[in-house]
Amino acid sequence: MTVPRFFIPAAAIDSKKGTIVHEDERLTRQINNVLRLKAGDRICLLDGLGSIYHCRMESAGKGQLKASIEQSLKIEEPFQIPVHVGLPLLKGDRFEWALEKLTELGVAKISPIIVTRSVVQADLSSENGGRSKSNKLDRWLTIMKEAAEQCERATIPRLVPPRRFGLFLQECSLVKNSLNLICAERRQATSLVKKLDNDEGLPSPQEIAIAVGAEGGFTGGEVEEAITLNFLPVSLGQRILRSETAAIYALAIVASKYSASE
Ligand code: SAM
């Protein structure tokens, strides 16, 4: 049987004593009611910073998990170059679905972006919707954490609160030696696959940023702003993909090109 894996905060780990104590109702409910684990069963706990702890569970009662560490290891992530995806807020469950799939494919950071033609517009004012905004972020983080556990990643991607597209562009443009890409349909844009093929033999970038438009696509002004800030418009082929498909496809192309050979 596969040993179940869970992310826990690094602060819960006492490496000197070889013990882990973590308060989490949701986790202990899952351990007891869903997985039906018993004291003495093996579990793997991850600190989200790249270390995995092979443990024996001691107890999981009253919302508290206790485990003893048998071995700790540093895990090497197979995908080396951090990829930052600017993902638009999307209708229905498409955005959350994309969070899960991007996590599985190794994304390092996701910025939910608000573009002119987004159907979903986040309320960015602090006085309005502060609580519901943080509930949403918690929910999105949980989706990414569970996806990371499921696909056996050692780290959970970073997620920042939704922000205007221009701020995402500015942040990426400040990263040194970053390859910044904007997925632009219906333009004479370079094919992403060809661009990466042509770059073969050149030093790899330190980071890659990928911007994807919402249901209505980017406006001409948004693409121009991105180009001014050093983004390269790229094509993903002749078909017009949904935003979530475009994000996943673009990340998969980049990941297959820059993955460390296994
Ligand atoms: N409403 C737009 C239209 O009909 O032209 C389509 C927008 S598409 C559903 C959403 C986003 O996915 C686009 O803004 C772009 O970032 C990306 N995308 C979809 N297909 C693409 C392609 N073939 N090449 C590059 N980007 C693509």
Side-chain angles (χ1 to χ4, degrees), residues 86 88 90 115 117 182-187 189-190 192 210-219 223 233-247 249-250:
L90 298 168
V115 290
R117 296 189 186 140
I182 176 165
C183 298
E185 74 288 3
R186 300 188 203 279
R187 277 176 77 105
T190 323
L192 175 57
I210 304 174
V212 176
E215 293 90 343
F218 286 116
T219 62
V223 177
V234 286
S235 163
L236 301 174
Q238 285 182 15
R239 299 198 185 98
I240 305 301
L241 310 173
R242 282 188 186 272
S243 308
E244 66 278 18
T245 318
Y249 184 49

Side-chain angles (χ1 to χ4, degrees), residues 5-27:
R5 305 175 153 228
F6 310 105
F7 281 97
I8 47 142
I13 302 160
D14 188 332
S15 300
K16 276 195 190 144
K17 286 190 190 158
T19 55
I20 292 180
V21 180
H22 175 47
E23 313 271 341
D24 186 338
E25 280 282 346
R26 204 162 169 267
L27 177 61

Side-chain angles (χ1 to χ4, degrees), residues 222-236:
E222 284 167 338
V223 177
E224 292 314 315
E225 186 185 357
I227 293 171
T228 313
L229 288 169
N230 238 347
F231 273 69
L232 176 74
V234 286
S235 163
L236 301 174

Side-chain angles (χ1 to χ4, degrees), residues 15-123:
S15 300
K16 276 195 190 144
K17 286 190 190 158
T19 55
I20 292 180
V21 180
H22 175 47
E23 313 271 341
D24 186 338
E25 280 282 346
R26 204 162 169 267
L27 177 61
T28 52
R29 241 183 290 127
Q30 187 190 0
I31 286 177
N32 293 319
N33 305 346
V34 183
L35 300 169
R36 299 189 179 281
L37 300 179
K38 300 271 172 283
D41 283 348
R42 293 174 62 209
I43 52 173
C44 289
L45 299 173
L46 298 118
D47 61 5
L49 305 171
S51 291
I52 184 164
Y53 296 82
H54 296 275
C55 299
R56 290 272 167 200
M57 195 177 84
E58 287 179 10
S59 62
K62 296 190 181 144
Q64 188 187 63
L65 169 69
K66 278 191 183 170
S68 49
I69 302 169
E70 295 192 326
Q71 192 189 19
S72 68
L73 297 168
K74 261 283 183 232
I75 301 184
E76 286 236 336
E77 290 283 21
F79 185 41
Q80 309 276 339
I81 298 174
V83 181
H84 178 183
V85 173
L87 182 69
L89 296 173
L90 298 168
K91 270 192 300 185
D93 59 4
R94 293 178 186 281
F95 180 80
E96 294 185 353
W97 188 81
L99 290 182
E100 184 182 274
K101 302 304 163 210
L102 292 171
T103 301
E104 287 175 44
L105 287 170
V107 72
K109 179 172 174 183
I110 298 177
S111 289
I113 51 172
I114 295 140
V115 290
T116 312
R117 296 189 186 140
S118 286
V119 176
V120 181
Q121 293 284 337
D123 184 353

